[in-house]
Amino acid sequence: MLTAFQNRRWDGDFLTLRRLLGANELGRVHRFESRFERWRPQLGDGWRERTPGAEGGGLLLDLGSHLVDQAVQLFGPVRGLYAEVDARHEGAVADDDVFLALEHESGVRSHLWASALATASAPRFRVLGDRAAYVKHGLDVQEEHLRSGGSPTDPDWGEEPPERRGRLVTEDEQREIPTQPGSYGSFYAGVAASLNDGAPPPVDPRDAVAVLELLDEARAAG
């Protein structure tokens, strides 16, 4: 059994957006904006910052893999790509500021950002359809819960506080949308089901290859 740890498929905000799209709450989507932006003014000592992009370092291969995977999962294969892949920190050897524009075969355009130099973060998601928009700020809470000593077995695991909910915006109203609890444990349950019961792997490795091909194209274009 071969799979890839695309854990961001089980982020609460992504699960919520997927549910909204499945219920056609937004109508026909024409633009998807997605970001992982942080403020890291000093160049770090980790392998991501100290390893050149050609050898596996940088944000394009780190957070970019999740951004592209989520976009493809939601809106399908890509037929066109534009990229900006930059190293902004003084002395940086790996990319730390990335923008990708994808044109999906479905007609949706995805605009994707990953940055370590965002002093003011834009929405995590802004999704525009012909019926409504979904706007969501802030990152999934599961990593935050782990750092604070939480466990996936906790009864409130992955639950986001009400003040961090996203909004569904129409011409006439805005309403809060409760965020579905994130569930990284579902990935491991999928691994167990694949090994024990012959179920498909939780992430098809061919999906990972397709994302890597797009990232290679982005590096060449950027």
Side-chain angles (χ1 to χ4, degrees):
M1 192 276 292
L2 177 64
T3 191
F5 188 51
Q6 283 289 7
N7 63 307
R8 294 288 183 176
R9 294 188 185 184
W10 289 273
D11 278 1
D13 48 20
F14 179 74
L15 294 173
T16 302
L17 174 57
R18 173 165 264 178
R19 176 172 55 79
L20 292 173
L21 294 174
N24 200 32
E25 294 272 11
L26 279 68
R28 183 176 60 84
V29 172
H30 56 270
R31 187 175 305 280
F32 172 58
E33 298 177 4
S34 177
R35 299 169 175 86
F36 285 121
E37 295 182 323
R38 299 184 172 100
W39 173 232
R40 303 285 189 270
Q42 304 301 320
L43 187 63
D45 292 325
W47 64 267
R48 293 175 182 82
E49 294 83 13
R50 299 298 180 178
T51 305
E55 298 177 15
L59 285 185
L60 180 67
L61 293 181
D62 181 18
L63 297 175
S65 65
H66 297 294
L67 290 167
V68 172
D69 180 72
Q70 288 186 340
V72 172
Q73 286 297 302
L74 293 174
F75 302 112
V78 173
R79 65 187 178 196
L81 179 150
Y82 167 81
E84 299 171 6
V85 182
D86 297 307
R88 301 291 191 184
H89 281 103
E90 183 176 355
V93 299
D95 48 273
D96 52 25
D97 191 58
V98 175
F99 169 71
L100 304 178
L102 311 179
E103 182 184 1
H104 298 268
E105 293 178 5
S106 62
V108 177
R109 293 187 183 272
S110 291
H111 287 180
L112 314 174
W113 289 263
S115 180
L117 290 165
T119 53
S121 295
R124 169 72 183 91
F125 287 139
R126 190 175 77 126
V127 192
L128 306 179
D130 61 7
R131 179 177 298 174
Y134 176 61
V135 182
K136 175 72 175 66
H137 288 263
L139 296 176
D140 178 86
V141 297
Q142 293 177 87
E143 289 185 12
E144 181 181 324
H145 287 176
L146 285 171
R147 286 194 297 268
S148 64
S151 167
T153 59
D154 294 340
D156 61 348
W157 175 260
E159 291 187 7
E160 191 174 71
E163 63 270 18
R164 292 171 62 170
R165 291 173 176 172
R167 292 175 293 120
L168 192 71
V169 183
T170 67
E171 183 178 2
D172 301 319
E173 65 172 351
Q174 297 188 25
R175 59 184 173 94
E176 287 187 348
I177 301 297
T179 303
Q180 185 171 331
S183 180
Y184 291 162
S186 295
F187 172 84
Y188 298 101
V191 170
S194 184
L195 292 173
N196 294 328
D197 306 322
V203 177
D204 190 324
R206 289 171 292 191
D207 292 349
V209 172
V211 167
L212 288 171
E213 289 174 343
L214 289 170
L215 296 178
D216 281 347
E217 184 179 345
R219 188 174 299 284

